[in-house]
Amino acid sequence: MIEDNDDITQPDTKRIRVGTSANSSSDLYLDTINRHMLDFDFEKVCSVSLSNLNVYACLVCGKYFQGRGRQSHAYFHSLHEDHHVFINLHTLKVYVLPDGYEVKDPSLNDIRYVLHPTFTKEQVANLDQNIRQSYDLNNKKYLPGFVGLNNVKANDYVNVIIQALAHIPPLRDYFILQNLETRSQLVQRFSTLVRKIWNPKAFKGQVSPHELLQEIVNASNKKFKLSEQSDPLEFLSWFLNTLHKDLGGIKKQNSSIIHRIFQGEVKVEEQSLITKENADEEDRLLFDVDREISVKKFPFLFLTLDLPAPPLFKDEVEKNIIPQVALTTILAKYDGRAAHESAGTLKRFQLTRLPNYIIFHIKRFTKNNWSEEKNPTIVNFPIKNIDMSEYLENPDGEKFDTHYDLIANICHEGKPGKGNGIYKVHVQHRGKDQWYQIQDLIVEEINAQMIFLSESYIQVTSKFNYILFVQEILIIKSFYFYLF
């Protein structure tokens, strides 16, 4: 193992030089730094030894090397390539090689910030209201929080989930503000990626999720890969449960930020199905009150909504008609009255506790022994004020506690099956009241009405903020009072 001061025989490794003028900056080789070559999104491993221990980045060409002593790869690189300025990717200290002295110069702060963005509580509190665009090194505009993610090979299914989670305020704020250095690599890399997505001082207007993707492959034992498209819902379920566990969460309610945000509870009533002679479909799906009905309650992180089977049209004209269904229709599954048959058992569901954020899974894909099929039914849903009181066993009487607004919508385009379609995500800028459609690196504004036309697969809704609603009304009233 090569230590940070791995060449103890070198007498000047402890020296520190502070640049205060143009001449001193030139003496420290700071004028050779090429920010256009710096990309800190990739996994921090030595380009020669592939070790992740004590890694430095050359600030001239951007390559990573292990160590900085006389026998290190960075030392030889400085001699052979005449590149002299290196930053430790962990400590953020900058050194000049081969001399080996540390440099402290204010002009390096922007590089340190890009490598490890930090935010104050006040800055985080204002993220959703920020409408100021930033500029990258090429003087191109970008809006912090609404930047594209590279599709390394086939990781669009990960990108849409990361974008959705990065726009859930309490989750985003937690991973930006908390010190997570003692947590797992998965937690740390997700935290770093969220910070970079919201970074207002980035060198480029997009982010590569490469570091997080590599850890996802490792942590999932290659269940989820970079080179093979997977189901976003399967990934979301694994990712949330793994983050919960890695943050010290247990089965106990509210034991991690994940459960505090997403965990609700559903009551499931079951009864074995006995087929009655001459019974029609409606009678067949009725619970027999004279027989035992088992009642259990289960926690959930997302709710699955079943789509009705698409009609089989025979008329050539009607083949062009796209089937549609209202969100309230498929939500009726959880009203505590509708019965459903499953494997010879009658079941009915009702929500007993609503989380602050509800994730809806619209069951669009089905698999059989030969292929995967996709239901193209369009779901008609309101963007604001989704009332969940009808599906709650004991509404608490608070008028807005059961109302939700859409904050993220993940949709699928194309044919079913791995690699046959693409995933996109719609997220809202609450300060501008503007929706954006993000597909990997492509970020574009979208009219809210266009979201309804997408084949929604996963939706994230937020509990209606009554206090914020009242504040907005008061602002509007005061504005009109000022005008008239």
Side-chain angles (χ1 to χ4, degrees), residues 1-2 44-46 50-56 65-67:
M1 176 177 174
I2 303 177
K44 296 173 177 60
V45 296
C46 175
L50 301 182
S51 171
N52 61 356
L53 301 175
N54 194 26
V55 179
Y56 289 76
F65 298 98
Q66 184 182 24

Side-chain angles (χ1 to χ4, degrees), residues 213-459:
L213 291 172
Q214 290 286 358
E215 187 55 31
I216 287 170
V217 174
N218 296 332
S220 68
N221 293 319
K222 298 184 178 180
K223 178 180 179 180
F224 301 104
K225 305 174 183 177
L226 285 72
S227 57
E228 185 177 315
Q229 192 183 61
S230 295
D231 187 335
L233 182 80
E234 291 182 10
F235 170 70
L236 175 63
S237 178
W238 172 85
F239 192 58
L240 290 181
N241 281 293
T242 305
L243 288 178
H244 168 71
K245 176 176 63 68
D246 290 355
L247 289 170
I250 55 177
K251 289 185 178 180
K252 184 179 178 181
Q253 182 182 341
N254 295 334
S255 57
S256 80
I257 185 68
I258 303 299
H259 279 191
R260 287 196 294 273
I261 292 175
F262 298 113
Q263 192 183 69
E265 187 180 71
V266 61
K267 179 180 72 174
V268 181
E269 296 179 309
E270 293 186 359
Q271 187 178 72
S272 59
L273 181 63
I274 298 179
T275 304
K276 301 176 183 178
E277 293 185 7
N278 302 321
D280 57 23
E281 184 67 17
E282 186 175 345
D283 291 337
R284 191 166 168 271
L285 294 179
L286 287 177
F287 275 72
D288 186 348
V289 295
D290 295 327
R291 293 193 296 119
E292 181 182 1
I293 300 175
S294 67
V295 180
K296 296 180 181 179
K297 293 182 179 180
F298 300 95
F300 67 83
L301 292 180
F302 58 84
L303 292 176
T304 297
L305 307 179
D306 303 313
L307 289 174
L312 300 175
F313 298 121
K314 294 183 180 181
D315 184 86
E316 288 298 324
V317 177
E318 289 185 337
K319 282 187 177 180
N320 297 322
I321 299 175
I322 300 175
Q324 301 183 37
V325 65
L327 179 65
T328 52
T329 301
I330 56 179
L331 270 173
K333 172 182 178 179
Y334 297 96
D335 63 7
R337 299 185 298 272
H340 306 267
E341 182 182 350
S342 175
T345 302
L346 278 182
K347 294 183 179 182
R348 58 188 176 197
F349 308 88
Q350 188 163 32
L351 305 178
T352 54
R353 187 178 73 249
L354 292 173
N356 289 327
Y357 289 79
I358 300 179
I359 301 175
F360 293 130
H361 161 225
I362 299 171
K363 193 174 181 181
R364 194 167 292 280
F365 302 101
T366 55
K367 296 180 181 179
N368 54 40
N369 293 332
W370 298 277
S371 63
E372 186 174 9
E373 297 180 351
K374 177 183 176 182
N375 189 325
T377 302
I378 297 297
V379 178
N380 297 318
F381 54 88
I383 286 183
K384 292 184 177 293
N385 208 26
I386 303 170
D387 188 2
M388 297 293 293
S389 61
E390 186 178 346
Y391 318 105
L392 188 61
E393 184 178 39
N394 294 308
D396 56 12
E398 292 293 334
K399 186 175 181 181
F400 292 100
D401 265 2
T402 59
H403 290 68
Y404 289 76
D405 293 341
L406 181 72
I407 63 170
N409 177 62
I410 295 173
C411 62
H412 180 268
E413 290 185 5
K415 296 180 180 180
K418 293 182 178 179
N420 291 335
I422 58 173
Y423 291 100
K424 298 180 180 181
V425 61
H426 302 117
V427 288
Q428 185 189 31
H429 189 299
R430 285 173 283 279
K432 297 171 62 176
D433 194 23
Q434 173 65 56
W435 284 86
Y436 288 83
Q437 177 174 277
I438 304 177
Q439 179 197 342
D440 297 328
L441 290 178
I442 303 173
V443 181
E444 52 191 358
E445 293 185 356
I446 185 173
N447 192 305
Q449 283 71 30
M450 297 298 293
I451 299 176
F452 304 121
L453 302 178
S454 63
E455 296 178 351
S456 298
Y457 184 46
I458 299 172
Q459 293 185 337

Side-chain angles (χ1 to χ4, degrees), residues 6-275:
D6 48 354
D7 188 4
I8 58 175
T9 62
Q10 190 169 319
D12 52 4
T13 53
K14 297 294 185 181
R15 289 189 297 155
I16 297 177
R17 296 283 294 275
V18 180
T20 57
S21 66
N23 289 335
S24 62
S25 293
S26 177
D27 294 342
L28 298 173
Y29 302 101
L30 300 188
D31 56 339
T32 65
I33 294 175
N34 188 350
R35 286 167 171 78
H36 289 274
M37 298 297 293
L38 304 182
D39 190 343
F40 299 126
D41 292 343
F42 290 92
E43 191 158 14
K44 296 173 177 60
V45 296
C46 175
S47 59
V48 180
S49 67
L50 301 182
S51 171
N52 61 356
L53 301 175
N54 194 26
V55 179
Y56 289 76
C58 172
L59 296 184
V60 181
C61 68
K63 291 182 179 179
Y64 293 173
F65 298 98
Q66 184 182 24
R68 61 179 173 85
R70 288 189 175 182
Q71 301 302 316
S72 69
H73 301 299
Y75 184 88
F76 291 127
H77 179 75
S78 70
L79 294 176
H80 295 163
E81 302 296 334
D82 200 25
H83 296 172
H84 300 287
V85 191
F86 296 78
I87 186 170
N88 186 295
L89 296 178
H90 178 68
T91 66
L92 307 185
K93 293 181 178 180
V94 177
Y95 296 88
V96 168
L97 299 182
D99 293 14
Y101 53 76
E102 181 183 354
V103 178
K104 291 186 176 180
D105 192 286
S107 67
L108 300 171
N109 290 341
D110 64 327
I111 296 176
R112 294 189 178 97
Y113 191 86
V114 167
L115 181 55
H116 185 69
T118 55
F119 298 78
T120 65
K121 289 183 178 180
E122 183 180 2
Q123 288 173 327
V124 169
N126 293 323
L127 286 179
D128 290 321
Q129 303 305 317
N130 173 52
I131 59 174
R132 182 184 301 173
Q133 291 184 314
S134 298
Y135 291 85
D136 63 14
L137 290 179
N138 295 316
N139 209 32
K140 291 184 178 180
K141 294 180 181 179
Y142 72 93
L143 187 60
F146 299 83
V147 297
L149 296 177
N150 288 85
N151 190 338
V152 179
K153 289 185 179 179
N155 56 273
D156 60 332
Y157 73 98
V158 174
N159 287 354
V160 292
I161 295 299
I162 298 303
Q163 292 281 14
L165 295 179
H167 285 85
I168 299 174
L171 188 71
R172 174 200 64 199
D173 299 353
Y174 178 88
F175 278 93
I176 286 179
L177 292 173
Q178 291 294 316
N179 183 354
L180 302 170
E181 290 184 358
T182 61
R183 299 299 183 180
S184 70
Q185 280 295 308
L186 187 72
V187 169
Q188 292 183 47
R189 294 187 183 191
F190 177 61
S191 172
T192 299
L193 183 57
V194 173
R195 294 167 193 259
K196 289 182 176 180
I197 288 174
W198 289 92
N199 181 10
K201 303 176 183 179
F203 287 169
K204 47 190 173 64
Q206 71 272 346
V207 182
S208 173
H210 189 270
E211 272 195 291
L212 178 62
L213 291 172
Q214 290 286 358
E215 187 55 31
I216 287 170
V217 174
N218 296 332
S220 68
N221 293 319
K222 298 184 178 180
K223 178 180 179 180
F224 301 104
K225 305 174 183 177
L226 285 72
S227 57
E228 185 177 315
Q229 192 183 61
S230 295
D231 187 335
L233 182 80
E234 291 182 10
F235 170 70
L236 175 63
S237 178
W238 172 85
F239 192 58
L240 290 181
N241 281 293
T242 305
L243 288 178
H244 168 71
K245 176 176 63 68
D246 290 355
L247 289 170
I250 55 177
K251 289 185 178 180
K252 184 179 178 181
Q253 182 182 341
N254 295 334
S255 57
S256 80
I257 185 68
I258 303 299
H259 279 191
R260 287 196 294 273
I261 292 175
F262 298 113
Q263 192 183 69
E265 187 180 71
V266 61
K267 179 180 72 174
V268 181
E269 296 179 309
E270 293 186 359
Q271 187 178 72
S272 59
L273 181 63
I274 298 179
T275 304

